[in-house]
């Protein structure tokens, strides 16, 4: 078990000490690993009143429990901290090879405490730990940092997670980058690393990760792999990546364009994965550790204004945020902006969101050429988008305002600009128009990290594959609920996906294998957990553990002061109907959201007045100590 879970490495940057502790078995069985155990460590070490960008914040890295094994698509790592964007709970995750390497070095978690008195990076070479000087790395972009560390340590196979200039400059949506092109992007974990003067974590491991019951584990891995590859949507995801779904999403009128002023674009083809492949931008497919799908890709631009650019993806979210959202229907321009986000260490979703908010401010006269450093920031201007990305990363001119995120930027500019700041809890909304996707609307409103899909991905509600429709039938009792426009059964659909996603993250699986493709079912996850740990667990029990994690995250935000009123959506989506659904008034109204929230809190056993979990609910989930602390603080739900 110890070999599978890895130890917890604590690093105090303030006094440059470190120590290791075994991962407690009871915690592992309760919270599964990865995101789950990270959440429990955050609860234990971070108290109310702490500040996201001060030394008292902590940042935790936790690969999934099965990362480093042969379980398919299980190589993801969760990064957990207090978010500089929201001041609330943040978990964000990234792919690549880094998490598996950390497990090979014998560690399952790294807890970073304090702040170094100058730039440093952490070097983990199996059991040997060094906190090294990073003065020469400070200011370098992610690509250059990756190269410089590998040269300094003399090993090209070292795995590196790093921040770019955006993290150093405390941009509130700075990403932690793994292996250069894989981002733990959302919520600003990169800025937390920057605030600690921690430039990078380099890892080399020579061990392996063993299952308690190897034969049973191997047999289940083969079945799970077969199941994943037989999903009808698997070949399309492998061939065209996540942006292969743009056509369908655009047709459903849930593809946000022009800063959510529209719900589709007239010609989406140049932003699709199909176009990337057919026009020769796509150079190769890329897979995270142990992945049998390989949806991540690598693209280059060989001609024109952006010749010489190269980047991972671009993914669906990036094509939308830096493309359609800004009115840029130009493949090469998006690849360029994507590349800059990757090497400067920025979340592409939030970056695109603040740029399109500024474009609308320019259009409406709230920001003029003077405030925009002499620029004319018009819809569709690809080179201007790239210029803005750089300004944000380095906090130059207008970039200093935009680096604060749309919520704070709108508060500073004032007037009516908050109406088109599309965010909730302070996080810019990811790229689904929730006016016409009601499970997403509820999931985004209640998401503890803000309006975003990578906590509860309810893609199945679109019913775009037989497997998606079968899942909705299993959850809601009828295939007719595979309809994003209906508000019926949304609470049930959201709660199931919350549980499943928490298990997915805890074990290290990629959500594409569980909630976009559906081959890795909860049953497979329970069987793999059982064979890997030697502790038998049923499907219902592993989903219950997922709910324990979701509830703990809710408790964390409750302790930080969050309330029902925080579970909401952006002003625009609650007040301006989509112009691209002339068949109906497509909007997220207060009355509709209130009804969905009531149903959702009731399903969870949370108090509908406050949204706070009840004592009986927490006791039932084995969270009695959490309940006692909330009760002591007067923040427990009424029975
Ligand atoms: S499906 Fe894509 S994102 Fe997920 S593990 Fe595989 S390559 Fe990585």
């Amino acid at each position: 078990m110890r070999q599978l879970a890895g130890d917890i490495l604590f690093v105090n940057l303030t006094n440059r000490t470190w120590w290791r502790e075994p991962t407690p078995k009871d915690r592992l069985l309760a919270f599964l690993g990865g995101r789950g155990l990270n959440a429990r460590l955050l609860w234990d070490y971070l108290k109310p009143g702490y500040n996201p960008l001060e030394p008292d914040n902590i940042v935790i890295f936790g690969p999934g429990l099965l990362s480093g094994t042969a379980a398919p698509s299980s190589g993801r790592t969760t990064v957990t901290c207090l978010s500089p964007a929201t001041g609330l709970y943040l978990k964000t995750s990234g792919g690549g090879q880094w998490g598996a390497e950390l497990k090979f070095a014998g560690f399952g978690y790294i807890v970073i405490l304090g702040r170094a008195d100058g730039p440093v990076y952490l070097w983990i070479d199996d059991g040997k730990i060094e906190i090294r000087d990073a003065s020469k790395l400070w200011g370098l972009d992610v690509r250059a940092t990756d190269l410089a560390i590998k040269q300094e340590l003399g090993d090209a196979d070292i795995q590196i997670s790093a921040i770019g200039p955006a993290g150093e400059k405390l941009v509130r949506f700075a990403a932690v980058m793994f292996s250069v092109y894989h981002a733990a992007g959302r919520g600003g974990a990169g800025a937390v690393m920057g605030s600690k003067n921690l430039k990078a974590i380099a890892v080399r491991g020579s061990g392996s990760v063993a299952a308690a019951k190897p034969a049973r584990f191997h047999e289940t891995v083969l079945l799970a792999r077969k199941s994943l590859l037989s999903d009808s949507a698997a070949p399309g995801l492998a061939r065209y990546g996540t942006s292969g779904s743009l056509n369908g999403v655009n047709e459903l009128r849930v593809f946000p364009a022009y800063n959510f002023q529209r719900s589709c674009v007239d010609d989406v083809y140049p932003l699709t994965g199909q176009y990337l492949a057919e026009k020769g931008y796509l150079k190769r497919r890329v897979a995270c550790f142990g992945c049998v799908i390989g949806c991540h890709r690598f693209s280059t631009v060989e001609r024109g204004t952006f010749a010489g650019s190269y980047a991972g993806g671009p993914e669906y979210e990036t094509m939308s945020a830096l493309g359609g959202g800004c009115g840029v229907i130009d493949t090469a321009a998006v690849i360029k902006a994507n590349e800059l986000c990757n090497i400067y260490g920025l979340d592409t979703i939030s970056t695109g969101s603040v740029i399109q908010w500024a474009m609308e401010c320019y259009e409406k006269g709230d920001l003029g050429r003077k405030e925009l450093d002499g620029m004319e920031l018009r819809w569709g201007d690809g080179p201007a988008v790239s210029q803005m990305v750089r300004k944000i990363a380095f906090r130059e001119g207008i970039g200093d305002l935009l680096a604060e995120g749309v919520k704070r930027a709108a508060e500073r500019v004032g007037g009516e600009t908050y109406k088109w700041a599309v965010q909730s809890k302070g996080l810019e909304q990811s790229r689904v128009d929730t006016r016409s996707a009601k499970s997403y609307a509820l999931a985004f409103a209640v998401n503890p990290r803000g309006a975003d899909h990578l906590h509860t991905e309810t893609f199945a509600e679109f019913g775009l594959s037989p497997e998606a429709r079968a899942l909705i039938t299993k959850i809601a009792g009828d295939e007719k609920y595979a309809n994003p426009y209906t508000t019926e059964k949304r609470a049930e659909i959201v709660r199931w996906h919350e549980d499943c996603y928490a298990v997915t993250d805890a074990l290290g699986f990629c959500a594409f294998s569980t909630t976009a493709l559906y081959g890795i079912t909860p049953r497979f996850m329970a069987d793999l957990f059982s064979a890997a740990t030697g502790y038998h667990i049923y499907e219902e029990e592993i989903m219950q553990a997922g709910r324990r994690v979701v509830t703990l995250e809710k408790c964390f935000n409750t302790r930080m002061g969050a309330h029902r009123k925080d579970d909401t959506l952006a002003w625009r989506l609650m007040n301006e109907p989509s112009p691209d659904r002339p068949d109906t008034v497509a909007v997220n109204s207060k009355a509709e959201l209130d009804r969905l929230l009531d149903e959702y809190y009731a399903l969870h056993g949370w108090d509908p007045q406050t949204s706070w979990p009840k004592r009986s609910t927490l006791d039932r989930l084995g969270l009695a100590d959490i309940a006692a602390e909330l009760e002591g603080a007067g923040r427990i739900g009424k029975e």
Side-chain angles (χ1 to χ4, degrees):
M1 184 86 154
R2 185 164 182 180
Q3 207 182 346
L4 174 76
D7 285 350
I8 306 175
L9 172 64
F10 291 88
V11 179
N12 187 329
L13 292 174
T14 305
N15 55 22
R16 302 197 180 211
T17 56
W18 65 270
W19 65 98
R20 68 192 294 168
E21 293 177 8
T23 302
K25 193 180 81 189
D26 58 334
R27 288 285 167 91
L28 208 56
L29 295 177
F31 300 104
L32 304 177
R35 167 178 157 191
L37 216 90
N38 280 17
R40 180 69 216 205
L41 286 163
L42 193 76
W43 174 274
D44 291 341
Y45 284 87
L46 200 140
K47 301 299 172 193
Y50 285 12
N51 186 315
L53 295 175
E54 294 297 332
D56 48 21
N57 197 0
I58 63 171
V59 59
I60 307 162
F61 291 74
L65 181 70
L66 300 182
S67 295
T69 73
S73 311
S74 67
R76 291 187 71 88
T77 298
T78 299
V79 184
T80 307
C81 60
L82 193 61
S83 164
T86 67
L88 296 170
Y89 172 83
L90 173 64
K91 74 96 193 172
T92 177
S93 80
Q97 317 289 322
W98 187 91
E101 196 74 23
L102 186 69
K103 297 288 285 290
F104 298 154
F107 295 102
Y109 308 86
I110 307 174
V111 182
I112 306 284
L113 307 153
R115 171 189 285 163
D117 54 9
V120 296
Y121 77 93
L122 187 62
W123 168 221
I124 301 170
D125 185 11
D126 283 324
K128 198 171 131 229
I129 312 296
E130 281 182 63
I131 299 170
R132 296 174 71 105
D133 178 47
S135 311
K136 289 191 188 139
L137 303 176
W138 208 250
L140 294 186
D141 70 35
V142 173
R143 229 184 241 154
T145 302
D146 192 85
L147 195 62
I149 292 177
K150 285 173 177 165
Q151 281 173 347
E152 181 174 307
L153 297 173
D155 184 348
D157 292 327
I158 287 168
Q159 291 298 322
I160 294 165
S161 64
I163 58 168
E168 297 173 14
K169 299 277 183 190
L170 310 183
V171 176
R172 287 185 189 269
F173 43 90
V176 175
M177 303 300 297
F178 294 108
S179 322
V180 183
Y181 297 114
H182 301 267
R186 307 248 59 201
V192 179
M193 270 180 78
S195 75
K196 295 182 174 301
N197 284 323
L198 179 61
K199 179 69 178 174
I201 304 177
V203 186
R204 197 74 166 100
S206 59
S208 59
V209 181
K213 298 184 174 172
R216 177 94 184 108
F217 188 73
H218 180 66
E219 191 184 305
T220 314
V221 162
L222 293 182
L223 290 172
R225 191 179 294 184
K226 195 169 163 199
S227 169
L228 181 55
L229 288 172
S230 67
D231 188 292
S232 63
L237 183 61
R239 196 171 308 133
Y240 300 122
T242 50
S243 52
S245 66
L246 251 80
N247 275 317
V249 171
N250 198 56
E251 271 169 33
L252 281 165
R253 304 296 188 249
V254 292
F255 182 67
Y258 302 91
N259 195 28
F260 289 79
Q261 292 182 90
R262 294 201 52 199
S263 308
C264 62
V265 293
D266 298 332
D267 179 17
V268 80
Y269 182 51
L271 299 178
T272 61
Q274 289 81 350
Y275 187 91
L276 274 177
E278 284 156 22
K279 299 295 177 186
Y281 292 101
L282 179 66
K283 288 297 174 262
R284 63 175 187 271
R285 286 165 50 203
V286 179
C288 303
F289 181 86
C291 181
V292 291
I293 301 293
C295 82
H296 197 64
R297 287 139 315 126
F298 184 77
S299 301
T300 66
V301 182
E302 283 157 6
R303 283 179 294 280
T305 313
F306 302 104
S309 307
Y310 56 102
E315 305 299 338
Y316 166 91
E317 295 286 328
T318 305
M319 284 295 199
S320 176
L322 294 165
C326 296
V328 175
I329 315 299
D330 178 341
T331 319
V334 178
I335 292 173
K336 178 67 190 178
N338 190 166
E339 176 186 28
L340 294 180
C341 284
N342 285 169
I343 65 173
Y344 295 153
L346 284 166
D347 174 35
T348 59
I349 300 173
S350 289
T351 303
S353 300
V354 292
I355 294 172
Q356 55 203 256
W357 172 83
M359 284 176 156
E360 195 165 341
C361 287
Y362 178 70
E363 181 185 55
K364 294 190 158 92
D366 294 278
L367 290 175
R369 284 183 62 164
K370 183 163 160 278
E371 290 86 4
L372 293 169
D373 310 326
M375 287 174 66
E376 294 188 36
L377 196 55
R378 296 187 196 283
W379 300 111
D381 188 338
V385 168
S386 284
Q387 255 184 291
M388 293 303 286
V389 173
R390 188 189 152 78
K391 282 174 175 291
I392 292 166
F394 290 90
R395 283 187 177 267
E396 288 171 3
I398 184 67
D400 191 40
L401 174 77
L402 300 184
E404 291 295 294
V406 285
K407 182 168 185 279
R408 289 176 176 84
E411 283 164 4
R412 288 193 198 165
V413 173
E416 298 205 321
T417 61
Y418 70 90
K419 291 186 175 175
W420 58 90
V422 183
Q423 57 78 32
S424 81
K425 296 190 177 80
L427 186 76
E428 293 76 19
Q429 174 154 325
S430 54
R431 310 305 300 178
V432 180
D433 191 329
T434 53
R435 290 173 292 201
S436 296
K438 302 301 183 177
S439 295
Y440 277 103
L442 175 59
F444 283 19
V446 298
N447 186 333
R449 76 177 189 178
D452 168 81
H453 63 300
L454 290 177
H455 189 267
T456 312
E457 173 67 89
T458 55
F459 191 65
E461 76 168 328
F462 296 144
L464 292 176
S465 70
E467 291 85 356
R469 294 190 289 277
L471 177 61
I472 293 295
T473 305
K474 178 181 162 183
I475 300 168
D478 198 304
E479 187 177 308
K480 70 180 180 184
Y481 299 116
N483 172 4
Y485 303 155
T486 181
T487 55
E488 287 180 78
K489 300 282 183 188
R490 300 302 103 172
E492 287 85 346
I493 291 169
V494 167
R495 196 182 66 158
W496 189 92
H497 282 86
E498 283 179 334
D499 297 349
C500 183
Y501 208 125
V503 178
T504 300
D505 276 341
L507 300 189
F509 285 109
C510 169
F512 296 138
S513 67
T514 62
T515 55
L517 306 180
Y518 305 95
I520 308 294
T521 60
R523 169 77 190 274
F524 270 125
M525 291 197 279
D527 288 351
L528 287 165
F529 179 92
S530 302
T533 61
Y535 293 91
H536 192 268
I537 187 168
Y538 292 100
E539 176 180 342
E540 299 73 29
E541 291 170 309
I542 207 162
M543 289 291 269
Q544 170 96 340
R547 189 165 311 160
R548 186 176 299 117
V549 173
V550 169
T551 307
L552 173 59
E553 293 166 334
K554 176 71 178 174
C555 289
F556 182 88
N557 275 0
T558 299
R559 190 174 63 169
M560 294 301 291
H563 196 273
R564 176 176 172 135
K565 66 175 168 38
D566 298 303
D567 287 347
T568 189
L569 293 164
W571 188 95
R572 165 159 281 163
L573 307 176
M574 298 282 282
N575 292 278
E576 289 179 8
S578 163
D580 294 305
R581 291 276 315 279
D583 55 316
T584 185
V585 181
V587 75
N588 299 128
S589 70
K590 180 164 185 335
E592 177 188 280
L593 185 59
D594 274 342
R595 181 169 64 73
L596 292 175
L597 289 175
D598 285 342
E599 290 170 7
Y600 170 85
Y601 297 141
L603 265 185
H604 262 294
W606 299 349
D607 178 357
Q609 293 297 316
T610 56
S611 85
W612 300 340
K614 299 175 185 174
R615 168 111 218 179
S616 56
T617 302
L618 298 179
D619 285 346
R620 200 167 52 248
L621 286 170
L623 297 172
D625 61 324
I626 307 273
E629 201 176 322
L630 288 178
E631 215 156 36
R635 303 189 70 80
I636 197 86
K638 285 202 178 68
E639 296 290 340

